[in-house]
Amino acid sequence: VLPHIGIPILVLQGKQDQYGSIAQVETVQQNAGDDVRVTMLDHCGHSPHADQGALALDEIHDFSSRIME
């Protein structure tokens, strides 16, 4: 499915995510086209919006602003 995604992708993942792995992030990067932005958040588990809310919102804002230009 990943190669057929034709829109920009933002991946936010906590470095201490107990459910997600860096291998999953790398799979998205390698298979989902050219416009994939990955942000790995320090001191963050499975819920970036809860663990690093301000930083997660900043990343979403920056990503959204770029693609809306």
Side-chain angles (χ1 to χ4, degrees):
V1 172
L2 289 170
H4 301 290
I5 298 174
I7 59 173
I9 298 172
L10 173 63
V11 177
L12 289 177
Q13 183 164 315
K15 288 183 178 178
Q16 289 75 36
D17 189 331
Q18 62 273 35
Y19 302 108
S21 70
I22 189 66
Q24 291 170 317
V25 173
E26 290 170 347
T27 297
V28 173
Q29 282 180 302
Q30 294 168 1
N31 295 291
D34 296 331
D35 201 355
V36 177
R37 178 173 170 175
V38 172
T39 301
M40 299 296 294
L41 302 171
D42 289 320
H43 311 291
C44 184
H46 189 67
S47 303
H49 65 284
D51 297 342
Q52 291 289 343
L55 184 54
L57 283 175
D58 286 345
E59 290 293 323
I60 294 166
H61 177 265
D62 291 347
F63 179 78
S64 299
S65 295
R66 182 183 60 80
I67 64 172
M68 297 301 284
E69 293 178 338

